Amino acid sequence: MHYVDEYRKKELILAVAGEIRNISKKEITLMEVCGGHTMAIHRFGLNALLPPNIRLLSGPGCPVCVSSQHFLDTAIAYSRIPGAIIATYGDLIRVPGSVTSLEKEKANGADIRIIWSVLEALELAKNNPDRPVFFPGIGFETTAPATAAAIVKAKNDNTRNFFVLSAHKVMPPVMKALVEEGVKIDGFIAPGHVTAITGTAIYDELAAVYGLGVVVSGFEPADMMQAILMLAVQLETGAPKVEVQYKRIVHPDGNKIARDLLAEVFELKDDRWRGLGTIHNSGLKIREDFAHFDAENNFSVLVPELPDPKGCICGSILRGTKTPNDCGLFATACTPSDPVGACMVSGEGTCATFYKYRS
Amino acid sequence: MIPREEKILLSHGNGGRMMHDLIGNLFIRHFGNTILDEQTDAAILPAESPFLAFTTDSFVIDPLFFPGGNIGKLAVCGTVNDLAVSGATPRYISVSFIIEEGFAMRELEMIVESLATEARHAQVTIVTGDTKVVNKGKCDKLFINTAGIGMFRKEDMLVGKALNINPGDAIIINGTIGDHGMAVMNARESFNFKSPVISDCASLNHLIRRMLEQCPGVKFMRDPTRGGVATVLNELAAKTGLGIELSEQALPVSKGVGAMCEILGFEPLHIANEGKVVVVVSEAESRHLLEIMKSHPLGTQSTVIGRIVRDHPMKVVLKTATGGKRIVDSLTGDPLPRIC
């Protein structure tokens, strides 16, 4: 497969691993923020190729995992509105809410459809003009522009029965929050596809003020090994900065069209993150101009605040302070077929990844 | 002459004249044979061996037509393959249709035609059947239920039971994996991937017969349908108490399936096949068996994908192309409901 196989060559990966071993002497902790990176590390067994002085930590970059239980309970409550259609990405369907899940509600008769693109949700709305179609929007700067585009299109086409429940989030505040909270990190393996939208300026403060290395990485094993090598060089030479490894996709200025769309449709709000609490200006709220398409603005449902499941340490795992192996439920009470916490459900969740690629 | 109504009506299932016409003008016309032509309530079959293999299956695939086949062809292949991998020679099948009111007669005929063609090709006789029509909205277009009967040679009766499996035995598959699941997915979802992925849907009984007759050392066979190769091998590991080691580089995956799985985040080992057989054979006989399989049109791409090992009992472990190792679990959750 072009553009994939080239980055999975064993000789290339082993050569970079050798270079890392030659250069890296300090004890360093690197956090991969993105769930896609966590997947790649485990899928390709990259940990085994790194010297013992380099520690990798998984961060809060799985959109499903960081979405609060309250968000899910709200989506479930919408599914019970007479006539409602919930059009959702497949990842979300099995995530346990406080008492039920969208999958269980579907079996109870709710109309829940799995879609691959938000535009399919819009299409559903057009084909069912008498029914409200809800799209639970999750994800970071990578997926939020598509949601924004759908909302703009709904407005232009006058599709009045399309509603977004936005749990979209932005990356920089949570990265900063983790550092300020005292999670010990020397550098970030920064998310490639988020940066393709945002550009690299969002990380400047992390390097300049907090003295952290930041390398924006691709998702193939050779990409990740090269990003780790670049971070090792920065940290060994005492010159942390923002660099891009994933140059074939990421332009330092990002994607202006997507950013303009985001700014047109969304504004920042304080937002809740599972396990991390409320983080200032970390979520995306639909602007007043598009309020008609904001589900929360149009439908009020009563969703009680309930505590997260007992024994589940998803929060600490998302903060990078614990790993799945520290959890008493991991691989016993909590498995992909019977998940307790969100990190076990999403394909990009740290627990699901540890479970799938355990050895 | 095909029935003149363009759509299936409730009357086509009510036992009266219209149903009689539908059976005569469509089903008997395509399936006709000396046993079915009798139109008795039960088919009377000659017993050709003291032991019989008996299987049943239902087909609810959506969409009904997909690249490489349709629900009719699939119904024959699925039933025939279940008998064949048990070591039996498939001989007779039953076919029952549950049809939604309003279903297009033309589509029904296309499905019946392809079912008949596949049955002739597999050399199985359709000996009995049934037709029901349900109200619009009470089933999704068309469901098919089948049963199948196969005859045994005495020496083939243990081949489905996974006995005498030992460390060192080779695991062979007759070609690329994941083609059916991805073809159906591509046909169902609005991806519009340009590279066509075609279902491998095929009756394997002739290939399997040749394998069993020419290589008595076949120890185990299974068709990796829903749940894919990973699920079959996990069941085998659990049953034997032994480990299984697969080589990622040896796994035959077509470019199209590989690319779709990469984009959608699927594991090819979890994707369904409808024309594949996973075989376990002793290391000593593996080369011979490969030659036999490659000599058949459905086995030209046969290859060894892994081995039975003493290590990691009851677990399937994949040696990755980059030199790592990881556990391959059975499928959990269902990324693709209604693929057969």
Side-chain angles (χ1 to χ4, degrees):
Chain A
M1 219 177 312
H2 282 313
Y3 313 115
V4 173
D5 292 343
E6 297 90 327
Y7 300 91
R8 291 184 186 174
K9 278 198 184 134
K10 194 173 173 181
E11 312 77 61
L12 179 63
I13 294 161
L14 292 179
V16 184
E19 195 68 5
I20 293 172
R21 272 195 302 275
N22 284 339
I23 287 172
S24 180
K25 302 297 170 208
K26 287 184 186 166
E27 296 280 328
I28 55 173
T29 300
L30 308 177
M31 176 178 270
E32 84 277 359
V33 182
C34 180
H37 284 153
T38 307
M39 279 274 289
I41 288 166
H42 290 269
R43 179 175 172 193
F44 298 105
L46 301 186
N47 258 321
L49 302 175
L50 297 176
N53 59 307
I54 298 184
R55 194 165 79 100
L56 297 181
L57 213 56
S58 303
C62 157
V64 174
C65 308
V66 295
S67 300
S68 68
Q69 190 167 282
H70 188 265
F71 160 75
L72 213 74
D73 287 342
T74 307
I76 289 166
Y78 287 149
S79 79
R80 293 175 178 161
I81 292 173
I85 298 174
I86 306 287
T88 174
Y89 294 141
D91 271 15
L92 218 46
I93 192 155
R94 296 180 59 240
V95 182
S98 49
V99 283
T100 172
S101 66
L102 287 170
E103 186 181 39
K104 287 178 186 160
E105 290 303 301
K106 185 169 189 286
N108 286 336
D111 192 346
I112 291 161
R113 321 268 181 106
I114 292 178
I115 55 170
W116 294 87
S117 154
V118 59
L119 294 178
E120 288 176 60
L122 200 54
E123 205 56 36
L124 271 173
K126 284 182 184 163
N127 295 335
N128 297 276
D130 305 332
R131 305 172 62 185
V133 173
F134 294 95
F135 172 71
I138 54 165
F140 300 99
E141 290 93 334
T142 339
T143 50
T147 306
I151 290 174
V152 170
K153 188 164 166 46
K155 190 173 186 185
N156 291 343
D157 299 352
N158 203 23
T159 307
R160 310 288 290 171
N161 58 327
F162 172 71
F163 304 101
V164 173
L165 172 63
S166 172
H168 284 298
K169 292 181 168 47
V170 290
M171 224 11 138
V174 71
M175 291 171 76
K176 195 171 142 186
L178 286 174
V179 179
E180 291 199 327
E181 206 181 274
V183 178
K184 201 198 151 312
I185 306 167
D186 300 294
F188 281 112
I189 299 170
H193 295 144
V194 164
T195 317
I197 306 292
T198 61
T200 56
I202 60 168
Y203 308 120
D204 288 348
E205 188 186 1
L206 290 171
V209 178
Y210 298 92
L212 298 174
V214 179
V215 174
V216 180
S217 174
F219 296 83
E220 295 301 329
D223 288 323
M224 299 213 61
M225 292 301 281
Q226 189 187 9
I228 292 167
L229 174 62
M230 290 163 78
L231 280 164
V233 170
Q234 286 186 16
L235 296 168
E236 287 299 326
T237 55
K241 57 186 165 189
V242 181
E243 287 185 290
V244 178
Q245 178 278 332
Y246 200 25
K247 286 187 175 155
R248 64 187 183 281
I249 297 289
V250 176
H251 189 277
D253 295 334
N255 178 336
K256 186 170 181 310
I257 296 173
R259 273 204 313 278
D260 287 349
L261 252 178
L262 277 181
E264 183 186 352
V265 175
F266 291 113
E267 60 192 342
L268 292 174
K269 68 170 177 186
D270 297 350
D271 204 2
R272 277 198 282 193
W273 294 60
R274 191 184 289 241
L276 301 167
T278 299
I279 300 176
H280 180 59
N281 274 347
S282 66
L284 293 174
K285 178 184 165 31
I286 297 171
R287 284 186 190 276
E288 193 58 40
D289 287 354
F290 296 92
H292 176 80
F293 305 98
D294 186 347
E296 288 170 290
N297 203 43
N298 291 280
F299 298 85
S300 66
V301 283
L302 195 63
V303 178
E305 293 284 347
L306 292 165
D308 283 346
K310 217 174 161 190
C312 174
I313 61 163
C314 276
S316 306
I317 289 168
L318 290 166
R319 272 201 299 274
T321 54
K322 288 195 173 155
T323 73
N325 294 323
D326 300 324
C327 181
L329 308 179
F330 178 70
T332 52
C334 183
T335 61
S337 53
D338 193 11
V340 177
C343 298
M344 186 57 96
V345 180
S346 166
E348 292 192 348
T350 304
C351 296
T353 304
F354 269 64
Y355 187 90
K356 185 170 179 192
Y357 299 126
R358 71 198 189 281
S359 53
Chain B
M1 183 190 78
I2 99 160
R4 64 180 179 283
E5 292 81 10
E6 286 180 3
K7 302 218 157 162
I8 288 287
L9 309 176
L10 279 175
S11 313
H12 282 119
N14 71 358
R17 184 189 59 78
M18 283 179 73
M19 185 168 121
H20 187 261
D21 287 351
L22 182 71
I23 291 172
N25 295 336
L26 188 63
F27 298 128
I28 299 275
R29 187 158 67 84
H30 285 285
F31 300 155
N33 57 68
T34 51
I35 301 173
L36 188 65
D37 291 350
E38 296 284 336
Q39 294 199 45
T40 46
D41 275 353
I44 298 165
L45 311 172
E48 297 158 14
S49 67
F51 288 95
L52 304 176
F54 179 48
T55 186
T56 183
D57 211 340
S58 296
F59 298 87
V60 298
I61 188 166
D62 175 36
L64 298 175
F65 296 84
F66 51 87
N70 62 47
I71 189 172
K73 178 183 181 188
L74 185 67
V76 175
C77 298
T79 313
V80 161
N81 292 347
D82 281 350
L83 293 169
V85 295
S86 311
T89 300
R91 294 286 292 120
Y92 305 110
I93 62 172
S94 72
V95 182
S96 291
F97 294 88
I98 298 166
I99 313 170
E100 185 184 16
E101 177 188 15
F103 188 68
M105 191 66 80
R106 214 188 105 59
E107 286 192 12
L108 181 61
E109 172 147 54
M110 284 163 71
I111 288 163
V112 165
E113 212 167 15
S114 123
L115 200 154
T117 305
E118 189 60 27
R120 269 195 299 280
H121 172 71
Q123 295 172 355
V124 291
T125 310
I126 299 165
V127 290
T128 187
D130 184 47
T131 312
K132 295 281 190 299
V133 179
V134 298
N135 287 299
K136 185 118 190 137
K138 298 297 178 189
C139 91
D140 189 5
K141 301 184 281 289
L142 173 74
F143 297 155
I144 296 178
N145 171 268
T146 63
I149 291 177
M151 306 295 160
F152 272 112
R153 296 191 313 169
K154 196 168 173 225
E155 54 269 43
D156 295 333
M157 286 182 52
L158 298 178
V159 83
K161 298 192 175 170
L163 302 174
N164 304 321
I165 296 203
N166 299 310
D169 289 351
I171 300 164
I172 295 176
I173 193 159
N174 63 317
T176 52
I177 59 175
D179 299 24
H180 178 72
M182 283 298 111
V184 172
M185 178 132 202
N186 204 10
R188 184 193 310 169
E189 310 286 346
S190 46
F191 295 134
N192 299 319
F193 285 124
K194 277 190 186 136
S195 156
V197 176
I198 294 174
S199 166
D200 57 346
C201 176
S203 296
L204 296 168
N205 53 326
H206 302 315
L207 167 70
I208 289 173
R209 179 58 29 214
R210 188 179 293 183
M211 288 159 56
L212 289 175
E213 281 172 4
Q214 296 182 21
C215 182
V218 170
K219 299 182 175 190
F220 172 77
M221 285 189 293
R222 185 66 58 82
D223 52 338
T225 53
R226 278 173 300 170
V229 173
T231 303
V232 165
L233 293 180
N234 271 287
E235 283 170 14
L236 181 64
K239 197 164 182 179
T240 58
L242 294 165
I244 289 175
E245 188 173 273
L246 296 177
S247 156
E248 190 171 37
Q249 276 168 313
L251 290 180
V253 179
S254 77
K255 270 190 177 174
V257 169
M260 275 187 80
C261 284
E262 198 61 49
I263 290 167
L264 300 171
F266 292 145
E267 168 81 75
L269 284 164
H270 283 149
I271 309 294
N273 310 274
E274 288 292 346
K276 291 295 160 346
V277 56
V278 172
V279 194
V280 178
V281 66
S282 70
E283 169 64 23
E285 284 192 80
S286 61
R287 193 178 293 230
H288 174 52
L289 181 64
L290 268 181
E291 276 170 24
I292 296 164
M293 292 173 74
K294 285 182 174 176
S295 73
H296 190 279
L298 292 176
T300 52
Q301 290 179 284
S302 299
T303 184
V304 174
I305 56 170
R307 314 227 158 253
I308 307 289
V309 293
R310 214 178 286 280
D311 298 344
H312 49 78
M314 302 175 74
K315 287 197 168 67
V316 180
V317 170
L318 180 77
K319 274 168 55 184
T320 67
T322 40
K325 278 189 178 184
R326 62 178 170 89
I327 291 177
V328 178
D329 262 327
S330 296
L331 179 66
T332 46
D334 195 350
L336 306 165
R338 290 185 63 191
I339 50 170
C340 61

